[in-house]
Structure formats: structure tokens, C-alpha cells
Amino acid sequence: MRTGNEPLQARSPLKIRLGLALWGMLWAIAGAVAFVAAGRPEWAAACAALALLAGTDLAIVIRHMHQGPHYQPGKDIPPYEPDRGRNDVFGHRNANGRRRNPRP
């Protein structure tokens, strides 16, 4: 259901992203170790770069989770208010209920 105010109060699935970043980092490290053992340094470097990228994403996700409900709403944060017939995204209306800056 689209409510019209997603850009203002979008909720990010940070716990899922945390798990996927951790899973990707573990597989990339395992791949790097396996390719080093197999004597394929190019593929090992590619896996190490991927592990570094996944580790960076992991750090960003953990940072956002520590910043609190602004980035990761918990069960105590109510869902956003439903659409009440507004069809503009940010709710910029005048006193008569019309858009403030109509498009030409």
C-alpha cells in the first residue's frame, strides 16, 4: 500500500541487510582463502576486494542501527499515517487543499 509519504518516513530493513552483508563477507573471505590455496592470486584479490566492500557495508549498517529509531524504527515506533486522499508526495497544500505551486 502506497501512502504518499515514503520519502519522508521510509523504513529500512537494516537487520536483513546486516545478515546479508555478514553472509557475503564470510563467503568472500572463504573464496579468497580457497583461491590463494589454489594458486589463483587474481581471483583471490577479487574476493578480497568483495570482502572489503561487504565489510564496509557491514560497518555502515551497524552505524545506522546504533543511531537509533531515526534509521531503524523499533516496535515502539508506530507506522506512518495512512493516505487521506493526498496525491502529492510531500503534502504541500494551501488552505483550500490545493497544491501551492501548480505545475504549468
Side-chain angles (χ1 to χ4, degrees):
M1 174 177 79
R2 183 165 172 81
T3 63
N5 65 354
E6 279 85 359
L8 296 176
Q9 297 174 343
R11 294 179 182 227
S12 175
L14 289 176
K15 289 181 183 177
I16 293 173
R17 190 171 154 197
L18 177 76
L20 288 173
L22 185 61
W23 184 253
M25 191 171 71
L26 292 175
W27 273 103
I29 290 171
V33 169
F35 281 123
V36 165
R40 305 289 301 247
E42 299 87 9
W43 285 101
C47 285
L50 190 60
L52 183 65
L53 184 67
T56 303
D57 187 38
L58 192 65
I60 290 171
V61 169
I62 290 171
R63 179 177 173 259
H64 283 184
M65 289 177 89
H66 283 282
Q67 287 180 339
H70 174 71
Y71 284 101
Q72 181 67 23
K75 295 177 182 172
D76 56 334
I77 306 295
Y80 43 79
E81 63 185 54
D83 185 13
R84 291 190 169 54
R86 298 185 324 216
N87 56 6
D88 62 308
V89 176
F90 297 105
H92 298 294
R93 302 267 176 173
N94 62 15
N96 297 331
R98 295 185 178 185
R99 296 180 102 173
R100 279 197 250 171
N101 298 323
R103 294 182 180 142

